[in-house]
Amino acid sequence: MSFLRDTFFFFAGIVFLALAKMKYQWKGYASPKPFDLSESRRCIEYDWQVVGQWLAHLEKHTANKNPLRGKQVLELGPGSDSGVGLILLAKGCARYHACDVNELFAAVPDSFYTELLGWLNAKDPQTDIGFLQRQLIRSQSGQPSRLNYVVREDFDLVAALGEGTVDIVFSQAAFEHFDDIEATTAQLTRVCKPGASLVVEIDLKTHSRWIRSRDPNNIYRYPDFIYDAFYFRGIPNRMRPYQYVSAFERCGWQDIELIPISKIEQSSDRASYSGMNRQFLDERNQMDYLSIIICAQKAAYSSPCSQS
């Protein structure tokens, strides 16, 4: 039975890889959330939940009950709107930076932000809505703002932010889209201040929406030459948890904590390895991990990233 299942999903996955590449070539990268921006309330609740999860992990990891106050925050791959940035400013960060390769914020309707600001005011009537409105308007008009949205095709973080400027790094399901984790981590290390904190969630699953619920590890069934044939910018990089941890270790990050968020429910320890390409069969790949959070601290004194 497992052979038939593995064979079916091997060929089904190829179809979905082809469809994903065609969709990217036709539309580009336009929908980072699993639902449309027109569902504004759902998007707002999602942004609120993401920030809440980040802060819960950050507070626990740093033993700091107010970790945002006066801090420069960077989000990598901010998604479809400035909701996260406005929520973080409302919660006390000094400035929010977001860096992406895709210009997505320009398409957000004003009605979304009107609803978001009303939501924030309902959550806490003490929120300075006028301040948030001013920062949003300045950001949208290209003026200096505490809501700093940077779009760079080359994703050059150092050129965008300068060295030693960031106190906290957040990211939600973006790291799995970076082609070169070593280079991204090296740049991230340069823009962060000594002692900076990091909380990133990484989605390790296949991203095609029908098959991810039925065969979440589908993208790991293929040898490199097949998977690379369907390459487009942003395709999941198939890095496993230990590889992310190693990249941060080589760049001098410490107190690294790897937290599984979702796992395969399985009847045996080897069930999640069924049908995987041989490069993923080693148990260090932790194929039962479907999504993870990594928390870490940049060392007070660190040397340039070492190579593996």
Side-chain angles (χ1 to χ4, degrees), residues 204-205 216-221 238-242 262-266 269-277 279-291:
L204 302 169
K205 302 184 293 295
N217 280 341
N218 183 269
I219 56 174
Y220 304 98
R221 294 184 177 277
R238 304 202 299 176
M239 298 278 284
R240 297 306 300 170
Y242 80 93
S262 63
K263 298 176 66 175
I264 290 178
E265 296 296 332
Q266 52 194 22
D269 291 340
R270 298 296 299 174
S272 55
Y273 291 84
S274 178
M276 298 299 98
N277 183 258
Q279 66 182 301
F280 300 108
L281 292 178
D282 192 298
E283 291 186 358
R284 69 177 179 171
N285 288 292
Q286 296 176 294
M287 298 306 298
D288 57 322
Y289 284 19
L290 300 180
S291 62

Side-chain angles (χ1 to χ4, degrees), residues 112-139:
F112 172 83
Y113 293 117
T114 299
E115 186 169 353
L116 171 61
L117 293 173
W119 166 279
L120 291 174
N121 189 55
K123 285 285 184 181
D124 181 3
Q126 300 302 313
T127 301
D128 190 343
I129 299 300
F131 163 76
L132 297 178
Q133 288 175 321
R134 290 191 297 274
Q135 301 312 311
L136 178 62
I137 292 170
R138 292 178 67 86
S139 178

Side-chain angles (χ1 to χ4, degrees), residues 6-236:
D6 291 339
T7 301
F8 170 78
F9 279 115
F10 182 92
F11 289 104
I14 288 177
V15 172
F16 279 94
L17 287 172
L19 290 172
K21 183 171 183 175
M22 287 189 291
K23 180 181 178 182
Y24 179 83
Q25 291 174 333
W26 175 43
K27 296 177 63 177
Y29 186 71
S31 180
K33 288 189 174 77
F35 38 83
D36 192 80
L37 191 61
S38 62
E39 299 182 69
S40 56
R41 177 53 63 93
R42 192 174 178 187
C43 289
I44 292 167
E45 291 175 348
Y46 176 83
D47 289 345
W48 182 265
Q49 179 182 358
V50 166
V51 171
Q53 179 173 258
W54 287 343
L55 293 180
H57 285 284
L58 182 62
E59 290 172 11
K60 182 177 179 181
H61 192 74
T62 62
N64 184 346
K65 293 298 183 182
N66 193 12
L68 284 181
R69 184 66 57 187
K71 301 297 185 182
Q72 298 272 336
V73 174
L74 167 64
E75 182 183 5
L76 298 183
S80 60
D81 57 76
S82 294
V84 163
L86 289 167
I87 292 169
L88 287 170
L89 285 176
K91 287 181 173 291
C93 80
R95 195 177 189 199
Y96 166 84
H97 307 273
C99 192
D100 208 339
V101 297
N102 303 291
E103 170 59 82
L104 300 178
F105 285 14
V108 182
D110 291 340
S111 59
F112 172 83
Y113 293 117
T114 299
E115 186 169 353
L116 171 61
L117 293 173
W119 166 279
L120 291 174
N121 189 55
K123 285 285 184 181
D124 181 3
Q126 300 302 313
T127 301
D128 190 343
I129 299 300
F131 163 76
L132 297 178
Q133 288 175 321
R134 290 191 297 274
Q135 301 312 311
L136 178 62
I137 292 170
R138 292 178 67 86
S139 178
Q140 290 173 327
S141 62
Q143 301 178 60
S145 169
R146 295 192 185 182
L147 195 67
N148 181 33
Y149 179 50
V150 180
V151 178
R152 291 188 65 99
E153 177 71 18
D154 59 7
F155 204 64
D156 189 329
L157 300 176
V158 177
L161 302 172
E163 298 203 21
T165 57
V166 173
D167 298 292
I168 300 171
V169 177
F170 291 130
S171 184
Q172 179 72 15
F175 264 75
E176 69 270 18
H177 295 292
F178 300 150
D179 288 340
D180 191 337
I181 291 299
E182 300 286 345
T184 300
T185 305
Q187 284 205 54
L188 194 59
T189 304
R190 289 177 63 189
V191 302
C192 284
K193 299 175 184 178
S197 301
L198 172 143
V199 178
V200 299
E201 180 167 343
I202 303 170
D203 184 355
L204 302 169
K205 302 184 293 295
T206 186
H207 280 32
S208 295
R209 289 175 189 170
W210 179 87
I211 205 167
R212 70 185 266 125
S213 62
R214 295 164 174 83
D215 188 39
N217 280 341
N218 183 269
I219 56 174
Y220 304 98
R221 294 184 177 277
Y222 309 103
D224 289 341
F225 77 91
I226 291 181
Y227 193 70
D228 291 347
F230 299 98
Y231 172 83
F232 56 89
R233 190 172 190 180
I235 189 173

